Amino acid sequence: MGRLTGKVALITGATGGIGLATAELFAREQARLVVTDIDERGIETLAARLRAEGADVLGIALDVSSAEQWARVVESTRQRFGGLDILINVAGVVDWSGVEDTGQQAWDRVIAVNQTGTWLAMKTAMPLLRASGAASIVNTSSVLGIVGSGAAAAYHASKGAVRLLTKTAAVEYATRGVRVNSVHPGVIATPMIQDILDEQGDQQPDIVRTPMRRAGLPSEIAHAMLFLASDESSYVTGAELIVDGGLTAH
């Protein structure tokens, strides 16, 4: 307990899956929280629950693909907490179609949320993060930002972009008080893929290829986020933390 005491953390996509697990863990570790999600009612409910459990929380509805909404969220963070130390970019969407079957609208949506949203987050929040002097950004990529699957063309493209955007930002801000790292989940039992897991279980190809022969838990990704967000990883920047049960090991 207390690994994030005194730090202000902003988390996107906080109402479900990895984002929710991260928000709950960071609250237990004494961070002051800004939780955001496009689900306005969901974020209000989450913020109220975390406050009732003793956390200092600001909940704000946010479409991560909107520059105007990002400006509002960062200004609200500054007004409420006076600064920002940690940015956790989790918000994401998926389309499972391959190259020929992906429609323009689906492509644009995935890129807007996963890729543009991550860039806008860093761009808009960076002045507050630089002022912290010892800030950390954690971007959520994927194992599908490292290897191909033969499907999900837009998702692969967006997560590969997040991987390299993370690295170039890490170099740019290495001497400016901001560390930037990426987490690469494998098959995780989140709402994004729960229907596939429920329907196909261990017959789902990625799970068969996962040496541990199971889906990961959102909490297992949240603990990876915690390490990279905390001062324990003070010499880690530009890194890829793969949390995939060994999926990319072979």
Side-chain angles (χ1 to χ4, degrees):
M1 298 282 289
R3 291 165 70 185
L4 300 179
T5 298
K7 294 186 180 294
V8 178
L10 191 160
I11 303 170
T12 72
T15 64
I18 293 168
L20 176 59
T22 301
E24 292 173 337
L25 177 61
F26 281 24
R28 292 196 298 272
E29 295 295 341
Q30 306 300 312
R32 293 178 290 169
L33 291 175
V34 181
V35 290
T36 72
D37 198 283
I38 199 167
D39 178 1
E40 184 172 1
R41 179 173 296 182
I43 209 66
E44 290 173 355
T45 300
L46 173 62
R49 176 169 65 82
L50 293 177
R51 284 191 211 103
E53 294 170 0
D56 189 357
V57 182
L58 174 64
I60 311 176
L62 169 66
D63 175 353
V64 296
S65 68
S66 167
E68 293 77 14
Q69 291 189 31
W70 263 115
R72 175 173 55 83
V73 166
V74 170
E75 177 58 21
S76 296
T77 299
R78 186 193 64 78
Q79 291 182 5
R80 172 68 178 271
F81 294 115
L84 182 65
D85 306 291
I86 299 164
L87 172 63
I88 308 292
N89 287 309
V90 180
V93 295
V94 66
D95 181 89
W96 295 107
S97 303
V99 171
E100 292 182 73
D101 293 332
T102 300
Q104 180 81 51
Q105 185 175 2
W107 174 275
D108 290 345
R109 176 172 178 262
V110 171
I111 297 300
V113 174
N114 297 0
Q115 180 176 335
T116 304
T118 299
W119 164 69
L120 281 173
M122 294 197 295
K123 174 183 174 66
T124 314
M126 196 62 78
L128 284 186
L129 292 165
R130 285 192 285 105
S132 165
S136 174
I137 298 173
V138 185
N139 293 326
T140 305
S141 181
S142 169
V143 293
L144 300 189
I146 298 174
V147 299
S149 72
Y155 189 77
H156 274 280
S158 68
K159 292 303 187 179
V162 168
R163 177 190 181 209
L164 265 287
L165 177 61
T166 298
K167 290 183 180 297
T168 196
V171 174
E172 181 176 357
Y173 292 95
T175 59
R176 301 170 72 183
V178 183
R179 296 182 297 107
V180 192
N181 295 287
S182 57
V183 169
H184 296 253
V187 179
I188 307 299
T190 68
M192 183 179 289
I193 67 164
Q194 193 60 54
D195 289 345
I196 296 174
L197 296 176
D198 291 343
E199 178 184 349
Q200 300 182 19
D202 286 348
Q203 299 308 306
Q204 204 270 342
D206 281 346
I207 292 181
V208 172
R209 292 194 292 114
T210 300
M212 293 183 73
R213 294 298 183 97
R214 69 172 178 86
L217 300 175
S219 61
E220 292 175 303
I221 306 301
H223 279 89
M225 299 281 193
L226 174 60
F227 168 68
L228 291 174
S230 74
D231 292 336
E232 296 161 15
S233 58
S234 57
Y235 197 54
V236 180
T237 197
E240 305 167 8
L241 181 48
I242 300 171
V243 190
D244 70 350
L247 190 153
T248 56
H250 68 121

